[in-house]
Amino acid sequence: MLASRPLEILYVRSLYRPADFGGNRYPWEVTQRLARRGHRVRVITPRPAGPLPGEPLAQIKTYPASRRTPFETFVTNALMSRLTVERALRERPADIVVLSSYEVAYGYFRFARRRRPASAFIYHSRFRSDAVERLRTASGLNGSAGALLSRFVAHVESTTFRYADLLIAVSPYSKVEIEQRVGGSTERIRVIPTGVDTDVFAPGSRRIARQALGITDDDVVFIAVGRLVPVKRYDRALRTVDLLRRAGRRVVLLLVGTGPEAERLQALTQELGLEDQVRFEGFRENDELRLRYQAADAQLCTSEFENWSLSLLEGFASGIPAFGVPRGSIPDLLRLVDASLISDTVEPEQIAETIAIHLGQAGRLGALGKRARAIAVSRFDWERVVGDLEASFRSVIRP
């Protein structure tokens, strides 16, 4: 009976921005597809940031939260999400509570009643959020104050990991990070990767896409998709393009996204004289985003940290490989296509050299792109991912 009946699922997250990139897209895809499978899904979150990409199939229940300071962000999300979960459980019991960010997980486990539904925590990364780093930087925290903040971060992580019935790691790298913090038994950890819609993101006519964007067939086109934030280290990408141009390559870089680093990156572009090589495309979605993937020869990932990157998977599904640096889960993902796509270091000179080797082999990027597409379809299609999540949820639900 349990293995076949629809589930009652509460999905709790402190940020619900489904029109955004990467991890922010994950909750929308998962909750929509679980609801489409017939499960009764309620999403508990602050007011969604930005427009929803479609009519939500899951019920969205919002709570008030402040973002004026990192402290208020954490406290209001922890307390208000907890109250809203309690109210939702009184209205209708749930089979499982799925927690997708640290603030809401801490609020749930720290103040949870003794008898509660099964729980799952979806681990996207360590608790080193932008809010924590902003607090550390803005307050100039060091010495005893910095140590206190570090202990609090460790406390939030340990509380979450101790009480969750199921820990979902979105990559092998994430599993290792959890194991380093959990200690003892790791039977509660399941590796279920981020997914990609392989019907929406698919290969198309490169010539037509380039004509629409005003790019010639003679250019080698790279694309980088994501928020323009410091951790993405797009400055490395710009310097890599500069080195390739100096070596005589006709290169175009499409930077797709917005963020606080935009002005600094535009200034660096001008400083390097790359105005004709770098295009700041802004935020793009749906057909416009797909068009840019289809126009590209490869992706360029120079982040200081990435987990199982949704944008890299979108590129794979679109039939383009990616060049990346040895940081986070980037090597794990690129190695599935070909280990030679990973540079030995994060230095632009090394990245440019890695790219140049591949550009010197006719048809090389096209062959790797076909392999990337096959991997995306066979291993990372969203329906397969959500099916694995559903099975894992059922495995911990209490009778």
Side-chain angles (χ1 to χ4, degrees), residues 26 31 44 84 109 123 141 147 181 193 288 294 307 328 357 359:
Y26 182 103
T31 55
I44 294 178
T84 309
F109 292 125
Y123 179 96
L141 292 178
R181 287 159 181 76
E288 291 189 338
Q294 292 174 346
N307 213 320
I357 291 172
L359 294 182

Side-chain angles (χ1 to χ4, degrees), residues 70 131-141:
V132 172
E133 294 307 315
R134 284 200 306 271
L135 178 61
R136 190 191 306 276
T137 302
S139 306
L141 292 178

Side-chain angles (χ1 to χ4, degrees), residues 181-193:
R181 287 159 181 76
V182 170
S185 173
T186 58
E187 294 177 355
R188 292 178 297 135
I189 306 173
R190 310 282 172 82
V191 178
I192 303 177

Side-chain angles (χ1 to χ4, degrees), residues 86-146:
E86 288 287 357
R87 189 179 305 118
L89 290 175
R90 287 195 298 269
E91 293 171 356
R92 191 168 77 241
D95 292 304
I96 189 166
V97 177
V98 182
L99 304 146
S100 186
S101 46
Y102 284 101
E103 303 99 312
V104 300
Y106 184 76
Y108 182 74
F109 292 125
R110 185 69 179 83
F111 307 108
R113 54 189 178 183
R114 181 168 297 178
R115 296 183 62 186
R116 59 177 185 264
S119 59
F121 178 70
I122 299 180
Y123 179 96
H124 291 282
S125 69
R126 294 174 55 189
F127 183 34
R128 52 181 177 192
S129 66
D130 286 344
V132 172
E133 294 307 315
R134 284 200 306 271
L135 178 61
R136 190 191 306 276
T137 302
S139 306
L141 292 178
N142 49 41
S144 59

Side-chain angles (χ1 to χ4, degrees), residues 11 27 44 47 78-79 83 163 193 205 209-210 237 242 254 274 280 295 322 385:
Y11 194 104
I44 294 178
R47 186 176 301 278
L79 293 179
L83 292 173
Y163 293 110
S205 169
R210 290 190 175 194
D242 182 44
L254 305 177
L274 296 175
F280 288 83
V385 169

Side-chain angles (χ1 to χ4, degrees), residues 225-241:
V225 180
R227 290 263 297 156
L228 304 185
V229 292
V231 72
K232 297 293 186 179
R233 291 304 305 267
Y234 287 127
D235 56 306
R236 292 173 180 161
L238 296 180
R239 296 188 186 280
T240 298
V241 169

Side-chain angles (χ1 to χ4, degrees), residues 121-357:
F121 178 70
I122 299 180
Y123 179 96
H124 291 282
S125 69
R126 294 174 55 189
F127 183 34
R128 52 181 177 192
S129 66
D130 286 344
V132 172
E133 294 307 315
R134 284 200 306 271
L135 178 61
R136 190 191 306 276
T137 302
S139 306
L141 292 178
N142 49 41
S144 59
L148 183 62
L149 179 60
S150 296
R151 284 199 296 272
F152 176 70
V153 168
H155 168 65
V156 171
E157 288 185 331
S158 64
T159 300
T160 299
F161 298 155
R162 181 184 308 122
Y163 293 110
D165 297 304
L166 180 66
L167 295 166
I168 302 292
V170 298
S171 72
Y173 183 87
S174 293
K175 182 174 184 290
V176 172
E177 286 193 320
I178 297 174
E179 289 172 340
Q180 291 172 344
R181 287 159 181 76
V182 170
S185 173
T186 58
E187 294 177 355
R188 292 178 297 135
I189 306 173
R190 310 282 172 82
V191 178
I192 303 177
T194 299
V196 63
D197 191 326
T198 57
D199 292 326
V200 170
F201 294 97
S205 169
R206 184 164 294 165
R207 176 167 295 180
I208 292 175
R210 290 190 175 194
Q211 286 176 347
L213 296 174
I215 301 172
T216 71
D217 290 336
D218 295 329
D219 292 320
V220 177
V221 180
F222 296 101
I223 184 172
V225 180
R227 290 263 297 156
L228 304 185
V229 292
V231 72
K232 297 293 186 179
R233 291 304 305 267
Y234 287 127
D235 56 306
R236 292 173 180 161
L238 296 180
R239 296 188 186 280
T240 298
V241 169
D242 182 44
L243 290 169
L244 291 169
R245 181 197 59 168
R246 291 175 182 274
R249 299 284 183 181
R250 293 188 52 170
V251 181
V252 172
L253 172 63
L254 305 177
L255 272 180
V256 183
T258 59
E261 284 277 280
E263 186 174 338
R264 189 180 75 86
L265 293 171
Q266 288 168 349
L268 180 58
T269 298
Q270 294 175 353
E271 177 186 329
L272 296 173
L274 296 175
E275 292 93 333
D276 294 333
Q277 282 73 42
V278 178
R279 293 175 41 158
F280 288 83
E281 298 291 295
F283 177 79
R284 303 287 177 170
E285 59 181 339
N286 302 327
D287 291 343
E288 291 189 338
L289 179 57
R290 181 169 58 244
L291 182 72
R292 284 155 177 80
Y293 280 123
Q294 292 174 346
D297 293 289
Q299 293 185 88
L300 191 52
C301 184
T302 54
S303 298
E304 190 61 26
F305 176 81
E306 288 284 348
N307 213 320
W308 220 238
S309 168
L310 178 57
S311 61
L312 289 182
L313 290 178
E314 289 171 349
F316 283 8
S318 302
I320 60 173
F323 292 99
V325 296
R327 289 289 187 270
S329 274
I330 298 170
D332 293 332
L333 190 52
L334 299 194
R335 202 174 287 119
L336 297 176
V337 179
D338 196 297
S340 65
L341 293 165
I342 309 162
S343 63
D344 291 337
T345 72
V346 299
E347 298 304 321
E349 292 79 7
Q350 185 63 57
I351 302 170
E353 182 179 334
T354 301
I355 293 172
I357 291 172

